[in-house]
Amino acid sequence: MKTLLLTILFLLVAGLDAEPVYVKYRQAFGFKASNISGYGAYYGVRPSEKTRIQITGIGYLYNGSWGKDTAEIKNYSIGLEFQKDIIQEEKYRYYLMVGGYYYSDDDKTTGSKNFHKILDSYNAGVGIGFDYMILRRVSLGVELGYKIFRDYWDEKRGDEEPVPCHEYQSKVGAGMNLGFVF
């Protein structure tokens, strides 16, 4: 009986000092879709117990044809995010975030519809995020925040000269991620 009580007491005391899963592992990898800090695969590293720096990126190429028309699309996105944990528990964490990303899009259609658009998009935002460990080291997360973006593009239809366009907006930002901590 004495051994059982000492074992229970030892486990309770050891549990009080247990670190959350997010603190035990310094790195994370996964996939993210966020209009605050970028789209694609991400890699994150913790320089300290309560902070994470994360880079996100993806590239996309498409060449296709239908009838006499052809399309060529070249896109890529690269983002950077800083996270500061405000609540850390064993299976979840809440964090404040600030981040941004650059997006480039080059769309060209030839044939019956001659159209060419080149877009440069600059995005930045702040928000709050939540990660939950759905499996031992696999996390599912969501983000909600506020973002601003500035888009510059040239649009050309047929034989016309390219028309420069510009747009500046702010709006609600959101994101989701699925990752693995190690």
Side-chain angles (χ1 to χ4, degrees):
M1 182 69 171
K2 184 178 176 183
T3 306
L4 179 62
L5 288 174
L6 285 174
T7 304
I8 292 172
L9 182 62
F10 175 76
L11 291 174
L12 286 174
V13 170
L16 292 175
D17 192 36
E19 291 180 315
V21 172
Y22 292 101
V23 178
K24 290 179 190 175
Y25 304 106
R26 292 278 188 205
Q27 301 177 66
F29 174 79
F31 298 97
K32 180 176 200 159
S34 170
N35 68 353
I36 299 172
S37 61
Y39 297 87
Y42 74 83
Y43 171 75
V45 65
R46 288 187 167 281
S48 72
E49 186 177 290
K50 297 231 182 226
T51 59
R52 179 189 284 177
I53 298 172
Q54 191 166 280
I55 187 166
T56 306
I58 192 170
Y60 176 76
L61 296 172
Y62 172 78
N63 288 316
S65 62
W66 55 97
K68 295 180 180 181
D69 294 342
T70 62
E72 183 179 314
I73 301 171
K74 300 175 198 168
N75 300 345
Y76 70 90
S77 170
I78 186 158
L80 184 64
E81 181 176 321
F82 176 77
Q83 300 173 354
K84 172 75 171 148
D85 290 354
I86 51 178
I87 297 173
Q88 286 181 337
E89 294 294 333
E90 181 64 27
K91 295 283 186 184
Y92 65 90
R93 72 184 180 112
Y94 287 93
Y95 57 91
L96 298 174
M97 58 168 287
V98 61
Y101 72 100
Y102 169 75
Y103 172 68
S104 175
D105 184 10
D106 185 351
D107 296 350
K108 186 176 185 179
T109 305
T110 57
S112 63
K113 302 176 188 176
N114 286 331
F115 177 75
H116 192 189
K117 179 179 177 181
I118 300 173
L119 169 76
D120 292 310
S121 180
Y122 302 91
N123 302 264
V126 296
I128 188 166
F130 173 75
D131 274 343
Y132 181 76
M133 297 299 263
I134 56 175
L135 296 172
R136 184 170 176 86
R137 289 191 188 182
V138 178
S139 68
L140 181 64
V142 294
E143 301 170 347
L144 186 62
Y146 185 75
K147 73 173 268 182
I148 58 172
F149 67 94
R150 188 175 297 258
D151 290 348
Y152 300 94
W153 71 94
D154 289 332
E155 200 170 286
K156 180 179 177 183
R157 295 182 186 279
D159 294 331
E160 300 172 355
E161 290 296 314
V163 176
C165 301
H166 174 258
E167 181 179 23
Y168 176 79
Q169 281 191 17
S170 61
K171 64 181 180 178
V172 172
M176 285 187 68
N177 65 67
L178 179 64
F180 178 78
V181 294
F182 58 99

